[in-house]
Structures are given as structure tokens and as C-alpha cells.
Amino acid sequence: DIQMTQSPSTLSASVGDTVTITCRASQSISDWLAWYQQKPGKAPKLLIYKASNSERGVPSRFSGSGSGTEFTLTISSLQPDDFATYYCQQYNTYSRTFGQGTKVEI
Amino acid sequence: EVQLLESGGGLVQPGGSLRLSCAASGFTFQNYALSWVRQAPGKGLEWVSAISGSGGSTFYADSVQGRFTISRDNSKNTVFLFMDSLGAEDAAVYYCAKVRVSLIDPDAFDFWGQGTMVTVSS
């Protein structure tokens, strides 16, 4: 199975900051990568698909980049609603896998 | 409006079995692959199983292969997950998730249900 490693595990930030989360795949996944946001007690929400494509309705401050084995999610001008846990997921293979998550906290 | 509504969770003894259901609406059900994704308390997301739109192809994580069975009834817009030989490691919230694009899988998940909790305890 392809392993997905996110860093950091926890990120402390303030409103207005720009933050970057990294996701590394154990082998090339082309650009078959998604990013999700999850808040406590809620289902995950799709933010980015195919590494850099924003899902409809997602604020433009969320952006994704990368290909192959290294990917990033950038949140520009962090808003109070953005404090949550973020997961990457590869879907290059049928045995799709998630990263372990990055908690963005104040 | 797309909706996915899971049910069937609950308390089960170790070694027991349980069947989860996910009732869907708001999209052409038979055109979309669906997956089950679980999340143990305080832990991350783990993909469990997927089924193609026709139901002809199924896929499982190694951790559940041979114990879980995914199926779907396209006449009732419902997908199921039958879980057998349950252990403590299977305790989690189980989410049903739909892929973004019809007739494409694997793909990112654009809609998720609210989840159903499975507790494994004697």
C-alpha cells in the first residue's frame, strides 16, 4: 500500500497567518491527491482534488500544489473557521490511503 | 441535494457481526462508486472498502479483507457493509462517501454521510 505522511502533525497559528501543510507519498501518485478539512464531530469536507483543483464553494484562500510524491496545502490569511484538522488522501490506487492528519490550532 | 444517511451502528460483542446501511439520494445512484471510511475515536481517517456503481467490483483494505463485505442495491439507492468477526480495532465512526465523478473510481470523495458509530465491547 502507498503510505501518506503529513507534516507537521500539529500547527499553531493565528488569524491572518499563511500556513502550509505537506503530504508525502511513499511512491509516485501523479496528481491523484485530495485534501479534506474536518471539524470535531463532523464528516470531512473536500477542499482540493487532483492536487490543485478547488472544489466548488471552497474559499480561494485554500490552494494545493505538487505532483509525484510531494504535495502542499496552503491556507492564506487564516480565518477563525479554518481551525480544524486537515487530511490528504491518495487515490492513485484502489487501496486509497489517508495521511495521519494535521491539526491547525490557535 | 445529495444526501447520504448511514444507519446500523451500535454495540456489538467481540467476534460478533453488524450490517451498516447507507441510503443515498440526490444523484444518479448507479453511476457512482461509493466507499466506507472509518475513524476510530481520536484517530485519523481509514478507507475501508469501495464498490463500483454497478456493484460488480469491490475493494477492501487489508485490515478488513475477508471479514467485511460491501454490497449495494441500486433499486433502493442503498449501499451496505456487512462486518464479521469484529474486534476492538474495528470500533469507529463509519462514514459512507461518494466519489466526485460518475463512472470514475478511484476518485476524491465529494459528499460524506454523518457517520454511524460502531462500538465493540463485551
Side-chain angles (χ1 to χ4, degrees), chain B residues 25-37:
Chain B
S25 61
F27 61 100
T28 307
F29 186 73
Q30 63 265 29
N31 286 355
Y32 289 83
L34 290 163
S35 277
W36 289 94
V37 177

Side-chain angles (χ1 to χ4, degrees), chain B:
Chain B
E1 179 191 6
V2 172
Q3 289 194 346
L4 298 170
L5 185 62
E6 302 96 335
S7 61
L11 175 64
V12 60
Q13 292 187 339
S17 59
L18 206 59
R19 189 181 80 159
L20 306 182
S21 300
C22 172
S25 61
F27 61 100
T28 307
F29 186 73
Q30 63 265 29
N31 286 355
Y32 289 83
L34 290 163
S35 277
W36 289 94
V37 177
R38 68 184 179 183
Q39 186 169 37
K43 303 297 184 181
L45 301 169
E46 179 188 16
W47 172 78
V48 172
S49 182
I51 187 166
S52 63
S54 67
S57 298
T58 58
F59 308 91
Y60 299 93
D62 290 345
S63 58
V64 306
Q65 180 78 47
R67 299 188 299 121
F68 289 14
T69 302
I70 192 170
S71 62
R72 64 192 292 161
D73 184 341
N74 285 350
S75 69
K76 295 183 178 178
N77 285 12
T78 303
V79 64
F80 305 98
L81 185 68
F82 178 74
M83 306 183 294
D84 197 17
S85 302
L86 286 164
E89 70 279 9
D90 299 311
V93 173
Y94 283 73
Y95 294 101
C96 173
K98 164 193 167 292
V99 296
R100 280 188 64 251
V101 180
S102 65
L103 307 178
I104 296 293
D105 192 54
D107 193 9
F109 301 130
D110 64 345
F111 283 95
W112 299 61
Q114 87 292 344
T116 187
M117 182 73 200
V118 173
T119 302
V120 182
S121 175
S122 54

Side-chain angles (χ1 to χ4, degrees), chain A residues 28-104:
Chain A
S28 178
I29 58 171
S30 184
D31 57 359
W32 301 114
L33 185 102
W35 289 97
Y36 301 88
Q37 176 193 68
Q38 187 180 35
K39 296 181 179 179
K42 300 293 187 181
K45 172 187 173 183
L46 177 64
L47 298 175
I48 303 288
Y49 64 94
K50 214 165 182 290
S52 60
N53 294 273
S54 293
E55 176 68 345
R56 277 174 293 182
V58 173
S60 58
R61 62 181 180 273
F62 292 92
S63 63
S65 64
S67 66
T69 61
E70 188 151 338
F71 303 85
T72 59
L73 173 71
T74 300
I75 312 172
S76 303
S77 187
L78 203 62
Q79 297 301 299
D81 191 49
D82 301 338
F83 291 95
T85 300
Y86 294 84
Y87 294 92
C88 63
Q89 180 213 10
Q90 67 81 16
Y91 51 101
N92 183 63
T93 66
Y94 282 107
S95 187
R96 57 218 84 184
T97 44
F98 290 89
Q100 80 278 17
T102 295
K103 184 177 182 180
V104 177

